[in-house]
């Protein structure tokens, strides 16, 4: 079974530029998550989708971050404009249902973003 | 106060040793608990769920103490391949909160 796919794997941009990340979840997984993991910290949830609807985006900095999952399958996360503190690994994860009970959350390899 | 707190370590142990570490959580209404493993520059992967009665998976034993709001992980007979960061994860209403991780290094 194919895992969660993410691209690009690495991205270097200058501050105030824009960047977009793409995620394709495991086939059949209705729930998709975007996390931000800063070096030395645990993953922090940015946004959670159930199919193409947003379940939780309470920690998404909406002035600069946006995400969509238009057809309920793959998703894009955008940062515009980027700041130095956005340097992190952006992890996409998916689960069949809502993770936390019997459902397991599977992570993609992540996109490493460096903002100069 | 952070939702999930862990001793960052590192715990440096020789092969064959036993190592144990804890995680504390702040939300008393949390319903389920997990340990994830994250290798250097890799994504987190589920290691094991933590059940109220405690549970084992091979050399790994997880315990939950709801009264004191902490979770523990014990690794017996450590292998070099156990070197990783162990993330404590707490679920409250299907919202997962991750700790910053405890780093374990097993040396030959």
């Amino acid at each position: 079974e194919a895992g969660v796919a993410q691209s690009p794997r690495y991205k270097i941009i200058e501050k105030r530029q824009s960047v977009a990340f793409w995620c394709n979840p495991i086939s059949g997984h209705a729930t998709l998550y975007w996390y931000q993991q800063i070096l030395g910290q645990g993953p922090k949830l940015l946004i959670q989708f159930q199919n193409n609807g947003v379940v939780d985006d309470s920690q998404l900095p909406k002035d600069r971050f946006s995400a969509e999952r238009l057809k309920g399958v793959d998703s894009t996360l955008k940062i515009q404009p980027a700041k130095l503190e956005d340097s992190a690994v952006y992890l996409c994860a998916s689960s069949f249902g809502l993770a936390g009970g019997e459902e397991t959350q599977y992570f993609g390899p992540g996109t490493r973003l460096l903002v100069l | 106060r952070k939702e999930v707190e862990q001793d960052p370590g590192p715990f440096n142990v020789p092969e064959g040793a036993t190592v144990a570490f804890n995680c504390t959580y702040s939300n008393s209404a949390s319903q389920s608990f997990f340990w994830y493993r994250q290798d250097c520059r890799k994504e987190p992967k589920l290691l094991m769920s933590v059940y109220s009665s405690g549970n084992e998976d091979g050399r790994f034993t997880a315990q939950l103490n709801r009264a004191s709001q902490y979770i523990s992980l014990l690794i017996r007979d450590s292998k070099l391949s156990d070197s990783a960061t162990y993330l404590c994860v707490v679920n409250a209403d299907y919202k997962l909160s991750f700790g910053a991780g405890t780093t374990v290094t097993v040396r030959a």
Side-chain angles (χ1 to χ4, degrees), chain A residues 6-75:
Chain A
Q6 290 189 247
S7 67
R9 294 295 308 277
Y10 305 91
K11 191 74 177 179
I12 301 174
I13 61 172
E14 295 187 348
K15 60 183 179 183
R16 292 187 289 273
Q17 285 187 323
S18 301
V19 64
F21 312 128
W22 174 82
C23 172
N24 190 31
I26 292 172
S27 178
H29 279 194
T31 311
L32 185 147
Y33 313 78
W34 282 104
Y35 288 88
Q36 179 193 59
Q37 187 173 23
I38 293 172
L39 188 64
Q41 299 181 20
K44 182 184 87 170
L45 180 68
L46 294 175
I47 189 166
Q48 177 180 342
F49 292 95
Q50 183 78 3
N51 296 308
N52 61 350
V54 175
V55 174
D56 184 355
D57 63 355
S58 57
Q59 298 191 93
L60 186 74
K62 297 180 184 66
D63 58 333
R64 297 185 301 106
F65 286 65
S66 64
E68 60 183 15
R69 193 185 184 199
L70 293 176
K71 296 183 178 179
V73 181
D74 55 355
S75 175

Side-chain angles (χ1 to χ4, degrees), chain A residues 10 35 37 40-43 48 56 58-59 91 98-101 104-105 107-109 112, chain B residues 32-34 36 38 40-46 51 87 91 94-96 98-101:
Chain A
Y10 305 91
Y35 288 88
Q37 187 173 23
Q41 299 181 20
Q48 177 180 342
D56 184 355
S58 57
Q59 298 191 93
L91 293 162
L98 292 174
T104 299
Q105 194 176 62
F107 284 85
R112 294 184 177 276
Chain B
S32 52
F33 310 88
F34 309 89
Y36 275 67
Q38 186 169 27
C40 187
R41 300 179 72 83
K42 297 288 188 179
E43 70 272 22
K45 291 183 180 178
L46 178 66
Y51 301 119
L87 302 170
N91 165 49
Y94 297 104
K95 180 177 178 180
L96 301 184
F98 286 74

Side-chain angles (χ1 to χ4, degrees), chain B residues 25-40:
Chain B
Y25 59 95
S26 60
N27 185 352
S28 60
S30 299
Q31 294 115 359
S32 52
F33 310 88
F34 309 89
W35 284 104
Y36 275 67
R37 171 191 171 126
Q38 186 169 27
D39 293 311
C40 187

Side-chain angles (χ1 to χ4, degrees), chain B residues 40-59:
Chain B
C40 187
R41 300 179 72 83
K42 297 288 188 179
E43 70 272 22
K45 291 183 180 178
L46 178 66
L47 177 67
M48 59 194 301
S49 301
V50 185
Y51 301 119
S52 297
S53 55
N55 50 299
E56 283 188 12
D57 184 359
R59 298 180 293 106

